[in-house]
Structures are given as structure tokens and as C-alpha cells.
Amino acid sequence: MTTIVHPASDDPVRDQRFRLGIEGAGIGIWDLDLVTHGLLWSSAARTFFGVPKDLPLTYDLFLSLLEPQDRERTDQAIRRSIETGCTFDMQYRLGGSPPYQWVRVLGSIIRDEKGVPLHLSGLVIEINDQKQIEETVRIRESHLRSILETIPDAMIVIDGTGIMQFFSRAAERQFGYTAQEGIGKNVSMLMPQPDRARHDGYLARYESTGERHIIGIGRIVTGQRKDGTTFPMHLSIGEMQTGGVPYFTGFIRDLTEHQQTQARLQELQSELVHVSRLSAMGEMASALAHELNQPLAAISNYMKGSRRLLADNPDPNRSKIENALDRAAEQAIRAGQIIRRLRDFVARGESEKRVESLSKLIEEAGALGLSGAREQGVQLRFNLNPEYDLVLVDRVQIQQVLVNLFRNALEAMAHSLQRELIASNAKVADDMIEVAIFDTGAGIPDDVMPNLFQTFYTTKETGMGVGLSISRSIIEAHGGRMWAEANSLGGATFRFTLPAASNESVTNAT
């Protein structure tokens, strides 16, 4: 700061014009005598601070107009200007309650010919607009930080040399570093080898060639946490220029949970496929047992009839023929008994039932049976009442039923203009919960409805006709029932009931 030496004015008229021009622009003028602490203010300065024209001014009066925390700061700033010659620069909030008046007070030291500080003189400027802009920017920054701190994706900003300039709260959670530990460090610390050693080379190559390999294109890469563990992540990078300096913003999504979910879905799908095959085999075995028992009984009867016809036959081999017929009849009866036992085993449908969350069953089954639904324009709605959520079931078997119903609904809506699928639940009895799967497909023709759950009956060109039959068998094995009906939009609604989990069951499960 240049120290001003107070000269004698050689043109009072010009000085007066200067003062009038400054006052007319709404800028106040002030002067503080550093020896006597006498204070002079122009009319505009008095107006800013709300001091009447006839009230004598003192430095103490000036301090009394300030907020308590500003008084000590003002004394310190004046001493600093006297000692170093720097500009006096303070901002004050005036007024006891909103709306506040904001002013900026600027001043310079005026010395005599010997360098002794005599006065501190300067200007008072109203800065309400500046403060309003600052407040607007502060609010926007606060909103932005609030968003960045709550979104699950991490955000990291680096400069052209790879040094991190911003490290979001989500980045702290994902990588284990604090913002203080990350900012100012090379972003390569978040990468495993060999990417860590190569990253600076990638930036240098991009700077020299401008050839993009990842900027603007999301890709899956590997990150490394503070503890040395690695995790899969989806990285998207954007570029910006500030003052000719490049900055890169990376958005990072931790894929660990996503991959675990995919693995769980694949495991669940394998379980469902396995159980579905077993159920189909069991259903077919049951049907075959029913159909084969009749011809086997007929064979046994024919054998016994043939033996009676041989009773009066003088053929010398009659005893051998009778013995063969007896053995054949015995084997036919034995075959029938084996098939009956197989049918009884299948019909028992033994399974391990536990307390399960119905909403979770539907969610997991939906991930398998409703894949591609959004791409087909199907609106999905799960209207599930949490009060009727717990059921006592075999998880895999009920999900098999749900997946089958979901897939049938999607196929039924393949050519529909309106495509909507709704899954809902309701309490229908003290101990039963009803699940409904509603679709807007072509519906079920009247001649098909009576045979809908019959084994090997199908309206599909490539269908086996066992899906609905197996589903109904599973529901009945759980003590419930299953049926279908037309709905108000012309589609079909499949309903089935399941036993609600009792308090005793819930207690045992926990």
C-alpha cells in the first residue's frame, strides 16, 4: 500500500467538486485523526450508519454502532494499517434486524513529511447487492454440497496432472480416505497396479494427442480402498476448462453390491430351475401313474382270465403256462404298487417351510420373471400391504409359482396396447393371505378356463402344459388354493392363498 503524504491543497474548488461528485454517487467519505481520535463523516457516511447530522462524532460512538465481534476486529485492523501501511478494509452489517444494511469501509494512512501517521481516511460503500449475490451463491453451494453428500455415487475432481481437487463424502465412504487425505494427492492412489503406474502416462497422452479413451464413455474398472482391498466400480469422466486449465470430474459407482445381487439372482434362478424340473418330473410321474395303473390292472385281469380258460385244457404244458401267467399277473400287480407308491410320494409334496417376507419373495421373483418388462413397455406395480407380509412357506417353491405367473402375464400382454401388471396382497381369513397377479393381456377364453390347471393342457405352441398344474399342486401342498378369473380390463387375474405366519412361527423363526 502506498502511504499518502498529506499535502496542502492548491485548488479548494477542485477538491470540493471531487467531494460533491463522490457524495452524489452515494459513496461516503470519512477521516479519523489518529492523534485525537476525532472523526469526520460526510452526509452519505452518516446516512449509512444512521447518525443524525447534528450529533457530534467520536471514535467511541462509531464503535458503539458496530456488532460486538466487529469492534475488536476494527481496532486490530487500524493498528495493522498504522504499523504496516496496508489498506484498512472492513465490512459491517448494520441494523438490528433484517433486512440488514451492508457497507464496506476502505481507508489509507496519511503521513506527514517525516512519515508520522496522522490520519486514516477513506470511503464508505454500500455493498447490499454484493452480499445478496454472495448469499445466493452460498445457498447454491450448500444445496450442491447437500446433494453431493447424499447421492450414492462418489465424485472426484482432478486437474490436468491428476491431482485431486475435490473428494465427495460418498468418495470417503467408498475408498476409506477422508477428503483431507485425498485432496492434493494424485488420483492414482485410488487404483491398483498396473493402472496406478500408468495413469499419469494416460493423462500426458491425452494432453498431447487429445485422443479420448474413457472421457465421456462409462466403463467398469477396479478401485483400491485405503486398506488395500479392491472393488469393481463403474467410472464416468467429464471434462471442463477453467481459465484454460483442464479439469476432469469422475463419477464412481461401487458395483460390489450389484455384483452380489446378480450372483444371488443367478443362484436363485438355478434353484428355481432345479425345483421346476423336479416338480415337472413329479407332475408327469403322477399323471403317468394314474394313467398306467388302469392298463396294468387290466393286464392282471386278463392274465387271471386266461388261467381260468386253461383249467380244462389237456395240454401237457398247461402247468407251465399257468405258472407263467401267475408270475406275469404278480409282476403287473407289483408294477401297479410301485407306481402307486411313487404317486403317493409325489402327492405328499414334502418341503421345508419357514417364515418368509412376501414382499421379498415377490421382489426376487420379479427380478427373474419380469426381466425385460420395462423394455416391452409394461408398467409394473407392487401394491403390497406390509401388515400382511409374513407367510409360512417354502421360499423356492412359492417363487417358482410367482415366476411362472409373471412370465405367463408378460406373454399374455405381448400384443396388448395397454400393458400393466399389478401384484397385490390381502388378508382373506384369520390365517390366510391372498396374492393376486393382475394383467391386461388377452384374457382366458371361456372354453379354456375349466381345463386351465389340467396336466398337459396348454394353449401355447411350445408349452408342455405343466406350469399351472405344478403351481396349483404347490399351493395346495401349502394348504392354500389357486384359481383364475377375468378382470375388468379384459385380462386375467390369478389368485392364490398362503398360510399367514402365526406369532408362534415368527418367534421360532427368530
Side-chain angles (χ1 to χ4, degrees):
M1 172 63 192
T2 302
T3 301
I4 301 175
V5 179
H6 195 291
S9 174
D10 58 356
D11 191 345
V13 176
R14 184 187 63 185
D15 292 346
Q16 181 67 14
R17 286 201 305 268
F18 282 161
R19 285 194 292 271
L20 291 175
I22 293 173
E23 286 280 306
I27 300 174
I29 304 173
W30 61 277
D31 178 84
L32 174 65
D33 189 318
L34 299 176
V35 178
T36 66
H37 275 193
L39 186 61
L40 297 175
W41 276 354
S42 67
S43 297
R46 284 177 173 268
T47 301
F48 283 138
F49 285 89
V51 178
K53 294 181 180 181
D54 57 349
L55 183 66
L57 287 172
T58 63
Y59 181 65
D60 290 336
L61 174 64
F62 164 65
L63 290 179
S64 69
L65 300 174
L66 305 180
E67 297 286 340
Q69 65 270 19
D70 289 335
R71 297 167 189 170
E72 179 64 27
R73 292 174 53 241
T74 300
D75 275 337
Q76 293 175 355
I78 291 175
R79 287 196 296 269
R80 188 165 53 251
S81 295
I82 294 172
E83 294 170 359
T84 66
C86 68
T87 299
F88 177 86
D89 189 349
M90 292 286 293
Q91 295 181 7
Y92 300 109
R93 188 185 72 182
L94 307 177
S97 59
Y100 298 109
Q101 172 87 349
W102 282 91
V103 295
R104 183 180 183 184
V105 179
L106 298 167
S108 299
I109 296 294
I110 299 175
R111 303 176 186 272
D112 62 10
E113 291 81 355
K114 296 181 180 181
V116 177
L118 299 178
H119 293 266
L120 181 61
S121 300
L123 307 174
V124 182
I125 306 171
E126 181 264 321
I127 57 171
N128 286 333
D129 290 344
Q130 173 188 331
K131 285 297 181 180
Q132 185 174 1
I133 293 173
E134 289 177 359
E135 180 65 12
T136 300
V137 172
R138 186 192 66 79
I139 292 174
R140 289 181 178 177
E141 287 182 349
S142 177
H143 288 170
L144 178 59
R145 286 190 175 275
S146 176
I147 293 171
L148 293 177
E149 288 179 359
T150 55
I151 60 175
D153 291 354
M155 189 177 83
I156 299 174
V157 179
I158 65 172
D159 61 16
T161 62
I163 302 302
M164 289 183 280
Q165 309 296 315
F166 178 80
F167 201 79
S168 73
R169 185 68 59 84
E172 293 181 333
R173 293 192 298 267
Q174 288 187 13
F175 290 94
Y177 294 98
T178 64
Q180 290 77 12
E181 292 174 319
I183 294 175
K185 304 291 181 58
N186 196 299
V187 71
S188 62
M189 66 187 285
L190 308 178
M191 308 172 189
Q193 296 290 5
D195 291 335
R196 176 178 296 186
R198 297 173 179 173
H199 187 260
D200 288 345
Y202 296 155
L203 288 175
R205 182 181 61 191
Y206 175 69
E207 184 180 3
S208 62
T209 66
E211 183 180 352
R212 296 187 171 191
H213 288 270
I214 186 173
I215 296 175
I217 305 172
R219 61 184 293 185
I220 296 176
V221 295
T222 301
Q224 180 170 304
R225 299 185 180 92
K226 183 179 180 179
D227 61 6
T229 59
T230 59
F231 65 99
M233 65 186 196
H234 184 272
L235 174 64
S236 299
I237 297 180
E239 180 184 11
M240 64 178 179
Q241 295 274 341
T242 301
V245 178
Y247 290 90
F248 304 94
T249 302
F251 294 92
I252 301 164
R253 176 170 298 175
D254 189 342
L255 297 179
T256 303
E257 184 176 351
H258 173 75
Q259 291 192 352
Q260 290 175 346
T261 301
Q262 291 301 314
R264 171 67 187 126
L265 288 176
Q266 290 180 0
E267 178 185 350
L268 178 61
Q269 188 171 25
S270 298
E271 290 180 3
L272 288 176
V273 169
H274 177 68
V275 172
S276 179
R277 288 174 177 171
L278 289 178
S279 299
M281 291 176 61
E283 194 73 18
M284 292 175 65
S286 179
L288 289 173
H290 176 74
E291 299 299 329
L292 290 176
N293 263 326
Q294 293 182 3
L296 285 174
I299 291 172
S300 177
N301 291 333
Y302 281 124
M303 293 291 184
K304 292 177 181 179
S306 299
R307 192 181 188 287
R308 285 194 295 270
L309 291 175
L310 287 173
D312 299 327
N313 193 321
D315 193 307
N317 295 318
R318 188 187 70 179
S319 61
K320 295 181 180 180
I321 296 173
E322 288 178 343
N323 186 50
L325 290 174
D326 289 340
R327 290 182 176 276
E330 290 173 0
Q331 293 303 314
I333 293 173
R334 182 172 179 273
Q337 291 172 344
I338 292 173
I339 291 176
R340 277 195 299 273
R341 285 197 296 270
L342 174 62
R343 185 181 181 188
D344 292 340
F345 174 78
V346 172
R348 279 199 302 270
E350 295 179 353
S351 60
E352 185 177 359
K353 298 181 178 64
R354 295 183 179 180
V355 177
E356 302 284 353
S357 167
L358 184 59
S359 58
K360 186 175 181 180
L361 293 177
I362 292 176
E363 180 182 348
E364 291 183 350
L368 296 175
L370 298 175
S371 59
R374 294 188 185 277
E375 290 76 6
Q376 297 176 28
V378 177
Q379 296 181 357
L380 304 176
R381 284 193 294 164
F382 290 168
N383 298 336
L384 302 174
N385 189 331
E387 294 184 12
Y388 312 124
D389 186 56
L390 298 180
V391 289
L392 185 62
V393 297
D394 182 295
R395 175 180 57 83
V396 177
Q397 288 187 349
I398 298 305
Q399 286 179 336
Q400 178 190 356
V401 173
L402 289 167
V403 168
N404 185 54
L405 294 179
F406 286 152
R407 288 175 175 169
N408 286 349
L410 290 186
E411 293 178 7
M413 293 187 290
H415 304 291
S416 299
L417 296 178
Q418 179 181 358
R419 300 175 184 179
E420 186 175 2
L421 189 149
I422 303 174
S424 61
N425 66 328
K427 187 176 182 180
V428 293
D430 293 339
D431 57 349
M432 300 299 289
I433 294 175
E434 180 184 289
V435 179
I437 308 298
F438 174 103
D439 68 58
T440 56
I444 304 172
D446 294 339
D447 59 336
V448 172
M449 187 69 78
N451 303 314
L452 193 60
F453 296 96
Q454 183 177 336
T455 307
F456 304 129
Y457 180 86
T458 181
T459 58
K460 302 176 184 178
E461 294 182 0
T462 58
M464 293 179 59
V466 295
L468 288 177
S469 177
I470 293 172
S471 297
R472 187 174 62 175
S473 297
I474 290 174
I475 297 301
E476 290 177 349
H478 280 75
R481 65 188 189 94
M482 185 176 192
W483 70 99
E485 59 190 29
N487 59 46
S488 58
L489 296 181
T493 300
F494 282 82
R495 302 180 185 273
F496 60 88
T497 57
L498 294 172
S502 62
N503 293 333
E504 181 180 354
S505 300
V506 174
T507 301
N508 292 337
T510 57

